[in-house]
Every structure is written in C-alpha cells, then in structure tokens.
Amino acid sequence: MSQLLERFVRYAKVNTRSDATSQTIPTTQGQVDFAQIIEKDLTDIGLSEISYNEKNGFLTAVLPATTDKEIPTIGFIAHLDTADYNAENICPTIFSDYDGQDVVLNEKAGIIMKTEEFPNLKDYVGQMLITTDGTTLLGADDKAGIVEILEAVEYLLAHPEIPHGKVLLAFGPDEEIGRGADRFDAANFPAQFAYTVDSGRVGCFEYETFNAAQAVITIEGTSVHPGTAYGTMVNAIKLGESIDAQLPQAEVPERTRGYEGFYLLTKFIGSLDQAELTYIIRDHNKELFQKRKQQLAKIVHELNDSLDKKRITIDFLDQYYNMGEIIEKDMTPVELATKAMANLGIKPDIQPFRGGTDGSKISFKGIPTPNLFTGGENFHGQYEFITLEAMELAAKTIVEIIKENANKPTF
C-alpha cells in the first residue's frame, strides 16, 4: 500500500489540466510530461512493450500472458488530464485515520469540508483520507485510475504463477474536454473488450451512458435606433429567448434523473443584431435522442417561417453515443466485473451514467468498454477526495477481473 500511496501523491502533484482552447495534441504539455513519468514507471516495474504515440497522445503498454491457454485479450484505460479547475501546486493532504468529523482543508483560508454538506465522508471513518488543500482539485479523476492499473500490473508481475491472458494498457489525453478518445487507435489495441477506470466510489460501474449532441444556434437580428424601430427592429436576444421558452421547461438537468434526458442551454451570447445559443442534448434512448434534436430543429424552422427572412441557423454535432447499445450484445465485461467485485465482497452499484466516458467512443470503435470505479468522490473541485483503502480495492478488482477472465470457459 505504501507504493500505491507514494505513486498517487507523486502523480497528483503534476499539473495535467487540459485546455479546450488549445489545438495541440495533447492540449497541454503537462500531459506529455506526465506520460513520460508513467512510461518510466512502467519500465521500472518490468514491462517492455511500451509506446508513446505523438500523433494521438496515448501511452500504451502490454502485460504478457502467463499461459498458453486461449484467453480473450482485455484492456484497461485511464486518462492523463484533469478537469477545468485549478491544478497548479496541488498539495495532497493525508489524514491517516479519519475520525468522521469536518475536515479542515486550509486553516489559513478557512476552507472546511463539512460532513453536513458532504455526509459521504462518514463512510470513510478509520481509513486513510487524501484531500486537497482547498485551493485546487486533487486529480483522483483520473490519476487514481492510473495508479490502480499500475498497482494491479505490478502485483501480477510479482505473481507469475497466476494464469492470465494478455492485458493491454492505455493512458490517454484530453478526456475531460471530450477529445482524447476521438483519436484512440483501436486497430492497434487488439482487446476483445476493455474497461475505463474512471468512475466514482467503490462499487460504481457503468455500461450505459447518454447519447450526446451539441446544437449551436446563430441568430441574425436587425439593430436600429429604438426611436425609429417600429416595424424594422428584430431583436436577436428576444428570438433566442423565444427558442428556449418553447423547449420543455422540466426537461433540464436539475429536474431530471435516471434515464430521463434533457436540454441544457450552456451559453447565450447576444446583442440586438446577433445572438448565439449553445445547447447540449442528452438522452439514453437513441430514438428519444433523435426526437430531441428534431424538436429543437422544428422550433427553429417554425420561428424562421414567422420572420421576414431566414434569420436563424442551427448546427448539430453528435458527440458520443450510449455504449450500452454495443455492450448489451455481449455482457461478458459486465459479468466479469460484477463477479470480481463479488469475490471481494463489494456490492456493485450499476447505474445509467448521466454523462459520457472515453468508453462511449471506444465502444463504437469496436472495443466494448464499460467504466469501473476508482474510489474517488467529489470530482472536479476543491472538495475532491479519495482513500488509500478505496484505491487498494480498485486495484484488487482489476486483478480479479483479469483472473476471472482467465477462468471463464471458452467454447
């Protein structure tokens, strides 16, 4: 466990925040530097087939099989970058025997993680709690996933008597801004299925995600002096408000859950003569997803028809699809993960994921890739935390999946 802790703290301190405004691959140099650190660690623990692809920013490696038995090749994937939150000078704080009380993250700044606001803290009494200093995120999303994969590999290398097939590893960039998996080279990652290690608390497991699209609506208005505006002015802001008002007002993130989809207006920039609205559209059901896009397009079309000319354009971009559509064809990766958790006394918490993962895109590239827990909580902000015990359970789960894969009968 000491190696797991040391590696996580060392990794957490590396600033790998991605940058949506950058066009480089990866979008930040910190991710390249981090990949080089992992590459050295993979070499040090005894792997030899290690490669960094400068074209897509992915670091890959191979854990060789320990048996000649025909066993499906599986993969484990985690991402290098952290979310759009301060990641400069990360200082992980360790509470070796958490007492279940409020956690003072930064005494000088008066930043406290209160159990009243975060009752999930009570689940970790007696464990080694790792937090931020209140001024940055922690980066357990997804550096915990990376160290857990390495811990599992290191364990299997130390125990060659455990029979297992070939295991492929991949560590990729820019997951948090939704770009990395677009460039994932599935053809050169010949796994029959894989797992992203990128979910939350112990037991969390997802194999269903949203179908996702972005819609950008551009509105051309006519700006004239308000004193002479009668019959001439066309207020682009008002047209934008009209579009949003015609959408189902209850179908927004703050009023939906489970399998319920939504529209979310993420940006509205406007003046009298021009406005731009950006929506994200989400639904687990593919048919309802398409209907949502059609509904928004219909609103725009009918509003255009009511105007003196075509003033509104709408452009859709599909971002990712529900990986459940692929995984449900062969539930082997789900069955292996739930069996592995059961072996360790972990109760699987399988919920439809109200978002997307790298696995969403990789699954549609031909490698079914559900999402496995890291053990972290409160991702993407100053209250992010994880425990050493949770990371150890995640690493053990990876080992169990690999062992169960070798034990699964082949026909």
Side-chain angles (χ1 to χ4, degrees):
M1 289 179 70
S2 60
Q3 175 66 43
L4 182 59
L5 177 63
E6 181 278 330
R7 188 174 282 141
F8 175 72
V9 171
R10 177 160 53 91
Y11 285 6
K13 290 180 179 181
V14 183
N15 183 346
T16 60
R17 181 178 182 175
S18 47
D19 179 3
T21 66
S22 170
Q23 296 305 311
T24 62
I25 302 172
T27 59
T28 53
Q29 181 61 36
Q31 295 180 74
V32 179
D33 297 341
F34 186 36
Q36 292 172 346
I37 292 170
I38 299 170
E39 184 174 13
K40 182 180 184 304
D41 285 356
L42 290 170
T43 301
D44 289 346
I45 66 176
L47 294 186
S48 56
E49 294 185 60
I50 306 168
S51 176
Y52 179 72
N53 187 329
E54 293 183 354
K55 293 182 179 179
N56 64 14
F58 274 85
L59 174 69
T60 57
V62 178
L63 174 66
T66 57
T67 175
D68 293 332
K69 178 183 175 184
E70 190 173 331
I71 298 171
T73 299
I74 62 175
F76 292 90
I77 302 167
H79 63 87
L80 301 166
D81 64 322
T82 58
D84 191 20
Y85 194 89
N86 183 28
E88 193 67 43
N89 299 316
I90 295 173
C91 296
T93 304
I94 299 170
F95 301 85
S96 59
D97 186 10
Y98 175 56
D99 62 6
Q101 302 304 306
D102 292 351
V103 180
V104 179
L105 299 177
N106 194 308
E107 186 173 5
K108 184 178 180 181
I111 302 172
I112 301 172
M113 183 160 51
K114 298 182 178 180
T115 56
E116 181 180 5
E117 186 175 1
F118 301 104
N120 47 337
L121 280 166
K122 296 284 189 179
D123 297 332
Y124 300 95
V125 173
Q127 297 188 32
M128 183 177 288
L129 183 70
I130 308 166
T131 72
T132 75
D133 70 353
T135 65
T136 68
L137 47 63
L138 181 61
D141 178 12
D142 192 24
K143 288 167 182 172
I146 296 171
V147 300
E148 289 155 5
I149 293 170
L150 265 65
E151 181 77 4
V153 167
E154 198 162 15
Y155 176 84
L156 289 167
L157 285 169
H159 294 275
E161 73 278 6
I162 297 174
H164 63 79
K166 182 186 289 187
V167 180
L168 308 182
L169 315 178
F171 308 101
D174 298 324
E175 186 271 349
E176 297 292 358
I177 58 173
R179 291 189 202 168
D182 291 335
R183 302 184 181 93
F184 181 76
D185 186 2
N188 287 306
F189 195 82
Q192 289 180 246
F193 53 88
Y195 300 87
T196 48
V197 187
D198 191 23
S199 189
R201 60 184 290 143
V202 170
C204 284
F205 184 74
E206 295 102 12
Y207 67 91
E208 296 175 280
T209 60
F210 275 137
N211 296 289
Q214 180 187 74
V216 178
I217 300 171
T218 304
I219 304 172
E220 175 196 346
T222 298
S223 177
V224 296
H225 190 285
T228 57
Y230 183 80
T232 306
M233 178 184 287
V234 177
N235 190 331
I237 297 172
K238 288 288 189 181
L239 291 177
E241 290 175 342
S242 175
I243 291 169
D244 194 62
Q246 292 182 65
L247 289 170
Q249 297 301 295
E251 295 178 13
V252 290
E254 62 268 33
R255 299 179 69 179
T256 54
R257 58 185 176 178
Y259 285 100
E260 297 171 331
F262 60 76
Y263 302 89
L264 174 61
L265 178 60
T266 61
K267 185 172 69 173
F268 190 161
I269 301 172
S271 58
L272 274 172
D273 63 329
Q274 190 170 15
E276 182 177 283
L277 291 78
T278 302
Y279 284 91
I280 61 172
I281 301 166
R282 302 288 187 265
D283 211 296
H284 286 92
N285 182 284
K286 193 70 169 284
E287 183 178 347
L288 294 178
F289 170 64
Q290 298 297 346
K291 286 182 177 179
R292 288 186 182 281
K293 291 191 290 182
Q294 292 165 8
Q295 182 173 17
L296 187 54
K298 183 172 182 285
I299 291 169
V300 168
H301 177 73
E302 291 178 348
L303 191 54
N304 263 329
D305 282 350
S306 71
L307 300 171
D308 59 323
K309 63 177 183 177
K310 182 179 178 181
R311 292 178 174 271
I312 311 169
T313 60
I314 183 167
D315 294 302
F316 291 100
L317 172 65
D318 282 4
Q319 297 166 308
Y320 56 84
Y321 301 113
N322 184 356
M323 63 184 174
E325 180 182 331
I326 303 298
I327 293 170
E328 286 173 352
K329 296 175 182 177
D330 182 354
M331 293 289 280
T332 296
V334 177
E335 293 164 359
L336 287 176
T338 53
K339 180 65 164 61
M341 284 189 255
N343 292 349
L344 296 170
I346 299 169
K347 182 179 179 181
D349 181 11
I350 301 176
Q351 302 287 341
F353 187 51
R354 292 182 62 79
T357 69
D358 275 354
S360 303
K361 294 181 178 180
I362 294 170
S363 291
F364 279 87
K365 286 175 177 278
I367 306 171
T369 307
N371 191 30
L372 187 67
F373 69 88
T374 61
E377 300 220 40
N378 300 348
F379 291 158
H380 294 193
Q382 67 193 118
Y383 299 112
E384 185 181 3
F385 70 85
I386 199 166
T387 67
L388 181 59
E389 290 81 358
M391 287 193 288
E392 186 182 41
L393 275 175
K396 288 180 177 179
T397 302
I398 293 168
V399 171
E400 284 296 313
I401 290 172
I402 293 168
K403 288 163 68 175
E404 284 297 327
N405 184 51
N407 293 334
K408 192 174 187 296
T410 56
F411 301 97

